[in-house]
Every structure is written in structure tokens, then in C-alpha cells.
Amino acid sequence: MAFCIITDSASDVPESVIKEYELHVIPTPVTIEGTDYFDGDTIFPDQFYEIQASGKEIKTYHVSQFMFEEHFRPFAERGDEVLYMCFSTGIAGTFNAATLAYEEIREEYPEFMLTIIDTKCASVGYGLVVERLLRMQKNNAPKELIIEAAHFFCEHMEHAVTVMELNYLFKGGRLTRTSFLAGTVLDIKPIIIVDENGSLKAVEKVRGWKKAQKRILDMVGEKGADLENQVVGVCYGMDKEAYDYIKEQLVERYHVKGLLEGRVGCAIGAHTGPGILGIVFLNETNEKYNEYLK
């Protein structure tokens, strides 16, 4: 019986990590002009953002109970134990659907053990947690310690995010018409975090895209802990220039140990547009986990 760590594609885990650890990633669905696609399986970021720019109708929905049952069943059949790191309940209904699927699977496989953690994180926010857990497992950390660490990393994960264009937030109902119009005229960029409930929350406004980039970098210094010994996550939609600037500054200013580099896929990108830029990092570290992260 194996102990398997899995996640969903809203974590935006880099392909290199997926390949290195043979990570099972459940694809999140997106509907484009009435046709279903699956993030990281039948549609990928460059293709998605090109379609989005064309103005086609795009809708997202969370992984259904039936979809989860299809993904959980092979683990149950093999007798594996699973830790599933799940997209935040503050953004999607993924956790509830996964829980219902687990209950259904256990009717058939009562010995099946599945731990579902509501990460209360988004995108590389929990992609970084997943990468850390996989590293711990590779370095022979006990299962119980990995699960304990999963909770710790999620609870102490900070997100510093900004977006270039406001129209996607407005279309998704996350911005009022007045704020959208005024913000567009004044070149306002929101500074977004993921709050304690796992919900996206705009906490500041700055004028100009460069200032927004500098502000999220400043937040790393204000909230981050032991950055020289941290692998920090960075993600973007389509603005490679801004992404490269952020990575360069994280190394120069904070001397971070390393970078986990991700592309924002459909689950988040459908609501933010291609001009999304984010940094994720821990506001607290713990030595007992660090020894398995070397």
C-alpha cells in the first residue's frame, strides 16, 4: 500500500514537478462556447489566454462528485492511502464535492483512507505546499509528519497578487461597475490576498502596473519569514516581462533559497485575465519540517 499525495490543476503545479514526482493532478473543468475542456489535460495556458482574448464565452465550474469518484477509485482499488490537497473552499466548491465522492467510494471500499485538506490557498499558493510535501516524502518524512506539515504550510501561506486589467474581475462580479470604470480611467491596480477564509480579497489599490509589481514585492519583505531559506512561488498569466522582473527582484532583494515557477491556468485565469502576477511565501517556518526539505 502506497501513500500518495495528489492535487487538482487549480494549484498550477509546474510540469517539471508533476513529471519528477509522477504527481496525480485532477484537471479542473472550463466551458468555452458550450464545450468542456480540462485544465492541463485538454487545454493549456497559452491556448486558453488566446481564446480568452478573442472574447469567446468562458465559464468555470468545480470538479464534480462524479469526476472525483473516477479519480479516487483507482487508488481505492490498489489499496493506496491518499492525501488530497484541495482548492480553497473560499473560491470553489471542490472540497464538498471531493468529500461526497469519498463517502460514495467508501461504500464500495470501506478500508480506503483519504485525507482531504482544504488548503484555503489558490494557484501556486498550494502548488508550493504540494511541492514541499513531495520533497518531504522523497526525503523519507513519516506520513503523519507530512500531513501535519500540510496543515502548517497552508495556514502560514501568504499570497501577494495583482492584475493588469480590471474588466475580468468586473465580468466575474468581483468588482462594481463604479470601481471598474474609475479604476480603468485612473490606471488603478488592485493588490489581492487570500484571506483566512481562503477567499480572494482586494486590500490595497495602487496606480500603475510597475507600482503594483513593486508593491507585491514589498509585501514579501513585510510578511515573509526566513526568506533566505525559503523556496518562494511565483506565477503569471501572459506578462513574461513582469514575471522575470519579479523573479530577479526576489533573488536580489531577499536572496530567496529558490523559486517555484508556475503558469496560472484556467481555474484562476478565467476570472483574472492574462495580466495576473502573484508571489506566494511563508510567514513562518518550522525547523522540524526544514530538515526534510534540504
Side-chain angles (χ1 to χ4, degrees), residues 96-129:
N96 290 336
T99 301
L100 290 171
Y102 177 42
E103 292 171 355
E104 189 68 25
I105 292 287
R106 286 199 70 182
E107 292 290 323
E108 189 176 351
Y109 299 94
E111 302 301 315
F112 179 43
M113 296 297 293
L114 168 64
T115 300
I116 306 171
I117 293 182
D118 174 9
T119 63
K120 291 186 167 59
C121 296
S123 187
V124 178
Y126 68 111
L128 183 58
V129 175

Side-chain angles (χ1 to χ4, degrees), residues 190-294:
I191 304 300
I192 300 168
I193 65 167
V194 176
D195 66 18
E196 63 276 7
N197 299 314
S199 300
L200 299 175
K201 182 180 181 181
V203 291
E204 297 179 30
K205 299 174 184 176
V206 298
R207 293 186 69 171
W209 185 228
K210 267 294 183 184
K211 287 183 179 179
Q213 294 169 46
K214 290 175 181 177
R215 180 63 193 121
I216 63 173
L217 279 164
D218 288 344
M219 291 170 71
V220 178
E222 293 165 5
K223 298 182 178 183
D226 194 23
L227 291 168
E228 291 185 1
N229 292 308
Q230 270 202 59
V231 173
V232 170
V234 192
C235 59
Y236 77 111
M238 287 294 285
D239 192 339
K240 185 69 163 51
E241 182 179 344
Y243 175 64
D244 288 340
Y245 168 75
I246 291 291
K247 290 191 296 178
E248 175 188 282
Q249 289 298 305
L250 286 168
V251 174
E252 288 187 8
R253 289 176 59 174
Y254 302 120
H255 310 290
V256 297
K257 181 180 178 180
L259 298 170
L260 184 76
E261 305 176 22
R263 289 290 301 279
V264 177
C266 306
I268 296 292
H271 304 284
T272 63
I276 182 171
L277 193 62
I279 311 171
V280 296
F281 53 96
L282 292 173
N283 60 29
E284 188 176 323
T285 58
N286 190 311
E287 282 296 327
K288 68 177 175 179
Y289 309 132
N290 289 348
E291 67 177 286
Y292 292 102
L293 293 170
K294 295 175 182 177

Side-chain angles (χ1 to χ4, degrees), residues 17 19 46 63 69 78 89 110 127 129 133-134 139-140 169 185:
V17 173
K19 288 180 178 178
D46 285 338
V63 183
E69 288 179 27
R78 290 193 297 266
T89 51
V129 175
L133 300 180
L134 291 167
N139 291 327
N140 300 311
L169 295 175
V185 170

Side-chain angles (χ1 to χ4, degrees), residues 23-247:
L23 175 66
H24 184 88
V25 180
I26 301 170
T28 54
V30 59
T31 301
I32 302 172
E33 297 286 311
T35 300
D36 284 348
Y37 296 85
F38 295 91
D39 189 20
D41 185 19
T42 59
I43 192 167
F44 299 88
D46 285 338
Q47 178 190 8
F48 171 74
Y49 289 120
E50 183 179 340
I51 291 170
Q52 189 180 52
S54 73
K56 291 183 178 180
E57 183 184 31
I58 297 173
K59 295 180 180 179
T60 59
Y61 60 98
H62 65 74
V63 183
S64 70
Q65 177 183 338
F66 174 74
M67 293 174 192
F68 274 121
E69 288 179 27
E70 286 190 315
H71 284 274
F72 292 160
R73 181 166 279 105
F75 294 100
E77 290 173 347
R78 290 193 297 266
D80 293 337
E81 182 174 350
V82 174
L83 170 62
Y84 167 43
M85 303 300 293
C86 176
F87 194 17
S88 173
T89 51
I91 303 173
T94 313
F95 179 84
N96 290 336
T99 301
L100 290 171
Y102 177 42
E103 292 171 355
E104 189 68 25
I105 292 287
R106 286 199 70 182
E107 292 290 323
E108 189 176 351
Y109 299 94
E111 302 301 315
F112 179 43
M113 296 297 293
L114 168 64
T115 300
I116 306 171
I117 293 182
D118 174 9
T119 63
K120 291 186 167 59
C121 296
S123 187
V124 178
Y126 68 111
L128 183 58
V129 175
V130 170
E131 190 274 338
R132 283 172 170 264
L133 300 180
L134 291 167
R135 249 194 302 159
M136 288 181 68
Q137 185 179 42
K138 183 179 180 179
N139 291 327
N140 300 311
K143 175 187 68 179
E144 293 76 16
L145 189 68
I146 291 173
I147 294 173
E148 178 189 308
H151 287 286
F152 178 88
F153 295 145
C154 291
E155 288 168 6
H156 293 283
M157 189 63 67
E158 297 281 353
H159 301 64
V161 181
T162 190
V163 296
M164 184 187 294
E165 301 163 289
L166 300 179
N167 55 312
Y168 296 99
L169 295 175
F170 171 61
K171 288 177 183 177
R174 289 179 167 85
L175 203 64
T176 65
R177 173 173 286 277
T178 301
S179 296
F180 165 60
L181 294 174
T184 300
V185 170
L186 297 173
D187 196 25
I188 297 294
K189 311 301 179 189
I191 304 300
I192 300 168
I193 65 167
V194 176
D195 66 18
E196 63 276 7
N197 299 314
S199 300
L200 299 175
K201 182 180 181 181
V203 291
E204 297 179 30
K205 299 174 184 176
V206 298
R207 293 186 69 171
W209 185 228
K210 267 294 183 184
K211 287 183 179 179
Q213 294 169 46
K214 290 175 181 177
R215 180 63 193 121
I216 63 173
L217 279 164
D218 288 344
M219 291 170 71
V220 178
E222 293 165 5
K223 298 182 178 183
D226 194 23
L227 291 168
E228 291 185 1
N229 292 308
Q230 270 202 59
V231 173
V232 170
V234 192
C235 59
Y236 77 111
M238 287 294 285
D239 192 339
K240 185 69 163 51
E241 182 179 344
Y243 175 64
D244 288 340
Y245 168 75
I246 291 291
K247 290 191 296 178

